[in-house]
């Protein structure tokens, strides 16, 4: 099992190029199942979850060719509609193939994702909504067995709760349904906008009617296209916080700054100096870090995927801070490990009281989920001495070349077997 060794104490200085978005790539890869043609995708990040999704598509009959700059997906012979547990269990986004398989074949057998470290990850909102398109389903031995005997029929659907995955699944399914579908109370994360751009480019007819309402007119013909996915805003936010917590000076490149406006505004309030350019944000960390009250929320609120990272920064603030996690029911797995490094974080339900003026001590650590793992690296980067982070396969699911990118800007970090 690989681990990372981090010798902290250096200020990070230099430039970091941000990779393609994992969370835009996953729904777009699932959506390629709608097509019977070839589709070329660019800027996909080389991370574990993308490899898993590509393996899942191959298990469904997609022919996949990977070269340096792009991935060619050939669906001319894609016929299968069974997504097995052994692939979906490691990557919950596997449930996103349900919508396209139903749209294309009118039948799908997809493993329920199962829970993970941050929560039970139910899919009830996906299933309730998809049944509104004329789908009958049952849960049998951990699988969703769904079929639409008369094909998918457009309908008006209101999501009871904002869900990124359910919004994506339904937009994809409705793209080939007969008639028009109106989805309301949608999630509006930038990755969903990227999915809609991709779908419209292959010939779907999708239009935002208002902030959280979208209209999809079903089509039957799709085109062969090439598409480049957006930048990873969570990776960008992670490295912005890395600069702030090490009092460094980083230029974060290949991004669209307005998409991470919330994060930039919060880091400015905390005390970082930030210079925004067209496709780059420069951040200069400040010795004085102000305490904050942070509440995670659906976009455009503060992202739950940066909650663990900002918690590390707030441990270094001049006073105590409060973080409220409003999206997932168990997303404080990083707290115990940070407390082992000397943090003083008290949790009560979905609230964490984060004491300030903490100097992290190096330690042997255990990663639990993707974003918790990276928060351990951020803490280790500030602590004088050697920290070791185990189970870094969690990290490799969502961060491309993390130790190379950090080493390039002065971090003393290395991967050991
Ligand atoms: C997506 O997960 C992201 N994953 C997550 O990123 C991200 O944290 C999350 O959205 C919130 O922004 C991908 O895009 C692949 P949700 P998703 O459906 O779609 C509950 C990362 O680190 N819910 O918006 O699963 C759910 O349990 C990952 O990159 C139901 O109750 O998130 C959660 O509490 C982690 N029933 C809340 O809604 C459902 O049917 C939001 O979940 C679906 C969700």
């Amino acid at each position: 099992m690989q681990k990372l060794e981090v010798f902290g104490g250096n200020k990070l200085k230099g430039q970091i190029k941000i990779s393609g978005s994992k969370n835009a790539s996953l729904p777009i890869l699932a959506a390629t199942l709608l097509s019977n043609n070839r589709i070329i995708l660019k800027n996909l990040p080389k991370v574990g979850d993308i490899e898993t999704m590509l393996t899942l598509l191959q298990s469904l009959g997609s022919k996949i060719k990977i070269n340096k700059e792009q991935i060619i997906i050939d669906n001319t012979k894609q016929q299968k509609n069974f997504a097995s547990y052994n692939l979906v269990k490691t990557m919950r986004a596997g449930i996103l193939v349900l919508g396209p398989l139903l749209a294309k074949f009118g039948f799908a057998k997809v493993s329920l994702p199962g829970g993970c470290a941050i929560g039970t990850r139910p899919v009830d909102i996906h299933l309730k909504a998809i049944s509104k398109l004329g789908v009958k389903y049952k849960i049998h031995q951990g699988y969703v067995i769904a079929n639409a005997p008369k094909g998918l029929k457009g309908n008006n659907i209101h999501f009871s709760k904002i869900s990124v995955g359910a919004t994506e699944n339904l937009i994809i399914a409705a793209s080939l349904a007969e008639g028009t579908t109106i989805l309301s109370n949608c999630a509006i994360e930038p990755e969903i906008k990227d999915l809609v751009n991709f779908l419209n480019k292959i010939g779907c007819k999708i239009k935002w009617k208002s902030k959280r309402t979208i209209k999809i007119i079903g089509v039957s013909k799709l085109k062969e296209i090439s598409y480049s996915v957006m930048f990873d805003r969570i990776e960008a936010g992670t490295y912005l916080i890395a600069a702030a917590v090490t009092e460094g000076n980083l230029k974060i490149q290949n991004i669209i700054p307005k998409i991470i406006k919330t994060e930039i505004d919060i880091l400015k309030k905390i005390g970082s100096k930030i210079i925004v350019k067209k496709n780059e944000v420069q951040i200069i960390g400040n010795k004085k870090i102000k305490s904050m009250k942070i509440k995670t929320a659906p976009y455009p609120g503060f992202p739950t995927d940066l909650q663990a990272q900002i918690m590390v920064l707030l441990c270094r603030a001049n006073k105590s801070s409060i973080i409220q996690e409003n999206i997932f029911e168990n997303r404080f797995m990083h707290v115990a490990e940070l407390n082992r490094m000397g943090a003083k974080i008290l949790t009560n339900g979905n609230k964490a009281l984060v004491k300030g003026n903490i100097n992290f001590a190096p330690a042997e650590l255990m990663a639990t989920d993707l974003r918790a793992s990276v928060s351990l690296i951020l803490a280790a980067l500030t602590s004088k001495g050697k920290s070791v982070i185990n189970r870094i396969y969690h990290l490799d699911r969502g961060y491309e070349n993390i130790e190379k990118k950090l080493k390039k800007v002065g971090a003393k970090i290395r991967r050991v077997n």
Side-chain angles (χ1 to χ4, degrees), residues 22-23 121-126 163-165 305 327-328 371:
K22 166 180 85 81
N23 290 352
R121 311 298 290 273
V123 290
D124 54 313
I125 301 172
H126 297 240
S163 160
V164 170
D305 293 347
I327 307 292
F328 287 105
R371 309 300 174 182

Side-chain angles (χ1 to χ4, degrees), residues 98-121:
L98 179 68
L101 291 175
L102 281 168
K104 192 173 181 180
F105 300 115
F107 176 83
K109 182 176 178 184
V110 177
S111 168
L112 281 168
C116 69
I118 63 177
T120 52
R121 311 298 290 273

Side-chain angles (χ1 to χ4, degrees), residues 206-369:
I206 305 172
K207 215 161 162 327
W208 291 95
K209 303 305 286 173
S210 65
K211 184 177 176 194
R212 292 189 182 276
T213 300
I214 195 164
K215 179 179 175 185
I216 302 129
I217 300 172
V219 297
S220 49
K221 234 170 126 36
L222 298 176
K223 296 177 234 164
E224 292 207 347
I225 60 139
S226 157
Y227 188 81
S228 183
V229 299
M230 67 176 280
F231 76 99
D232 193 311
R233 63 187 169 100
I234 304 300
E235 184 193 19
T238 301
Y239 289 124
L240 284 169
I241 294 170
V245 80
T246 61
E247 294 169 47
N249 180 342
L250 284 182
K251 287 183 178 174
I252 309 298
Q253 300 174 324
N254 291 1
I255 66 171
I256 302 171
K258 70 171 191 292
I259 285 185
I260 52 171
K261 184 180 175 321
T262 301
E263 296 86 326
I264 289 171
D265 291 349
I266 286 208
L267 286 166
K268 279 183 183 165
K269 278 200 196 110
I270 286 179
S272 300
K273 182 164 181 287
I274 293 197
I275 303 147
V276 176
K277 292 188 182 136
K278 188 167 173 300
N279 291 116
E280 173 189 296
V281 168
Q282 180 177 7
I283 177 166
I284 302 160
N286 187 332
K287 197 165 182 55
K288 194 168 171 304
I289 294 167
K290 294 195 192 90
S291 64
M292 294 287 286
K293 189 171 168 42
I294 303 256
K295 290 183 180 173
T296 63
Y299 195 87
F302 189 84
T304 174
D305 293 347
L306 285 176
Q307 179 256 106
Q309 298 93 313
I310 202 87
M311 187 181 277
V312 173
L313 180 57
L314 292 173
C315 287
R316 312 266 297 157
N318 54 359
K319 289 204 302 286
S320 294
S321 300
I322 300 219
I323 294 181
Q324 189 170 318
E325 170 55 55
N326 294 318
I327 307 292
F328 287 105
E329 70 267 29
N330 185 35
R331 203 167 196 175
F332 286 143
M333 302 292 284
H334 41 287
V335 168
E337 291 301 275
L338 293 175
N339 284 342
R340 290 183 58 246
M341 297 179 81
K344 289 188 176 49
I345 305 162
L346 277 177
T347 60
N348 176 11
N350 71 338
K351 285 195 185 67
L353 175 64
V354 182
K355 268 186 85 56
N357 300 306
I358 296 290
N359 290 314
F360 288 109
E364 173 111 27
L365 301 157
M366 186 77 77
T368 50
D369 64 270

